[in-house]
Amino acid sequence: GGPGNRRRLILPVVVMFVSRDEGPAGTPAPFSLRIGLVLLMLGVAAPAVAQGQVLDPSRACIIQAGQPVVDAVIAGQPVRLRVDFGAHAPIVLTPAAAARLALASDTRPGTDEEPDRGTVVTRVGRKTVRVRWSREMVTVEGVTQPLEVLTPPDYAPGIGDGSIRPSALPCAVVRLEQRSAGPRDVETVMRVIDDGTFDGLPVKAMAGRDDIRLEFSPWRERTVGTAAVGGILVTLLGGSLSGPVTETPIVYGVTRPARLLKLDRPWLAAGVKVPALMMRLSDWEGDHAVPPDGDLEADLIQVAKRRNPQRSFRLMHLGADVLRDCASFEWRRTGHLLAVRCPAP
């Protein structure tokens, strides 16, 4: 993750992960969409922050939603990166930016050493995706540190050359402000799930007795949940599917089929009210019923396609449709906390 003043050797090893929500049934649940590297951390060696540079423990980086871009230098070249609370890696670049930086070359400015790099093979639903990665020296806000840089083939953030995760910034606090906080706003503070993988900034929310993994993605247009999430929420709150099947962006430009799931009662999760979501369409293991289809007659069963059973994974990406009224989102390095300020429900 982020910078520090300890020295350690970081060696990338295993680089193949499979989406846990759509893995074959009966197989061990692998990691979800954690397009990252399993790291071995041994004793002393490479510094996490370039020598002579110290992280200021009181430093706060305030990012305005109207201009959420920071300037950085990667492999000696300037780039502009959007701060993304929903990013699944320290830095993600567009293919055009990676080509301009010549990240495919065997050399880097100022060193004769060949960079660590490789290819991550993962699955987004039933789609297999190959993502190139390399470990680069990245300078942001005057601090240089080695970070993993990923280049998905279809990634297009719509602004800048790519994205950077808040924990990759050399700041004790990173706050994305959408507006000034008001008297009706309530702050909800949650501990980020830290399981040692390069993921977003996920937190846990309860839906009855079931826990659901939440990620705050204010740049995402629509809230998206896995099929397992849809089943849990309908069992708890009621609801039904409606509308056409839509190819919905999931991660790094990859889309998956989803339909609108309207809940009979909104779900209050982490200080945010969720009245509906785009539910990814897949089979899953578990005891929760398939949400009813509001566009079909109650006694009509429609078999569109047969697929092998898939493994359950409870993940929801909260998008702008439920986050646009919030004042701010704040990541705090101390305690690895996420604080959101949104209107009281």
Side-chain angles (χ1 to χ4, degrees):
N5 54 17
R6 293 177 296 178
R7 298 183 175 217
R8 62 190 181 186
L9 177 64
I10 303 180
L11 301 175
V13 285
V14 182
V15 295
M16 182 171 182
F17 306 109
V18 181
S19 173
R20 185 165 54 190
D21 61 321
E22 295 190 343
T27 59
F31 292 112
S32 68
L33 302 177
R34 300 181 184 109
I35 315 289
L37 309 177
V38 175
L39 300 180
L40 292 178
M41 299 183 180
L42 309 173
V44 293
V49 176
Q51 204 160 16
Q53 298 176 335
V54 179
L55 173 66
D56 182 353
S58 64
R59 186 177 192 177
C61 293
I62 311 301
I63 311 297
Q64 299 299 324
Q67 186 60 32
V69 176
V70 297
D71 294 321
V73 175
I74 300 177
Q77 299 292 324
V79 293
R80 303 182 75 238
L81 305 173
R82 182 178 67 181
V83 178
D84 188 354
F85 277 67
H88 283 251
I91 291 179
V92 185
L93 291 180
T94 65
R100 177 170 63 82
L101 272 56
L103 296 189
S105 69
D106 295 333
T107 60
R108 295 292 184 268
T111 179
D112 295 329
E113 296 183 8
E114 184 175 347
D116 293 329
R117 60 186 177 183
T119 300
V120 176
V121 181
T122 189
R123 294 189 66 187
V124 182
R126 297 185 184 274
K127 291 185 179 180
T128 299
V129 184
R130 301 176 67 87
V131 181
R132 294 186 179 276
W133 66 269
S134 60
R135 191 166 177 82
E136 307 290 347
M137 297 305 297
V138 180
T139 302
V140 182
E141 298 288 332
V143 176
T144 302
Q145 57 180 321
L147 292 174
E148 278 62 41
V149 177
L150 273 65
T151 309
D154 298 316
Y155 181 61
I159 180 174
D161 299 304
S163 62
I164 184 169
R165 193 167 55 186
S167 56
L169 292 170
C171 312
V173 172
V174 178
R175 183 187 310 137
L176 176 65
E177 291 187 343
Q178 297 192 135
R179 59 172 175 80
S180 299
R184 292 187 59 251
D185 292 324
V186 176
E187 182 181 77
T188 303
V189 181
M190 302 150 284
R191 186 175 298 279
V192 174
I193 299 172
D194 187 2
D195 48 19
T197 62
F198 291 151
D199 208 342
L201 298 175
V203 298
K204 184 172 71 174
M206 299 304 297
R209 295 182 177 181
D210 295 294
D211 62 275
I212 293 175
R213 186 185 184 103
L214 291 181
E215 294 185 0
F216 287 76
S217 304
W219 308 128
R220 181 185 294 274
E221 182 179 350
R222 302 291 298 274
T223 294
V224 181
T226 59
V229 167
I232 289 170
L233 294 181
V234 167
T235 300
L236 180 67
L237 303 167
S240 62
L241 294 165
S242 65
V245 176
T246 304
E247 287 292 326
T248 302
I250 303 300
V251 64
Y252 302 145
V254 177
T255 63
R256 295 294 295 145
R259 289 185 69 194
L260 179 64
L261 173 59
K262 295 181 179 180
L263 300 175
D264 293 342
R265 291 178 291 138
W267 180 45
L268 183 60
V272 177
K273 188 181 295 185
V274 181
L277 64 143
M278 296 300 294
M279 192 191 86
R280 294 172 60 178
L281 302 177
S282 69
D283 299 328
W284 69 93
E285 300 173 345
D287 299 326
H288 299 282
V290 176
D293 193 326
D295 294 344
L296 297 177
E297 297 177 17
D299 59 351
L300 177 64
I301 297 177
Q302 183 182 61
V303 179
K305 191 177 294 185
R306 296 183 183 273
R307 294 287 195 185
N308 293 329
Q310 299 168 337
R311 183 166 298 278
S312 170
F313 185 55
R314 305 166 181 178
L315 173 65
M316 177 184 287
H317 301 274
L318 298 174
D321 53 341
V322 298
L323 299 179
R324 62 169 54 95
D325 292 335
C326 295
S328 64
F329 313 95
E330 181 174 297
W331 176 77
R332 300 170 183 172
R333 190 175 299 277
T334 300
H336 203 29
L337 302 175
L338 184 66
V340 299
R341 296 178 182 85
C342 300

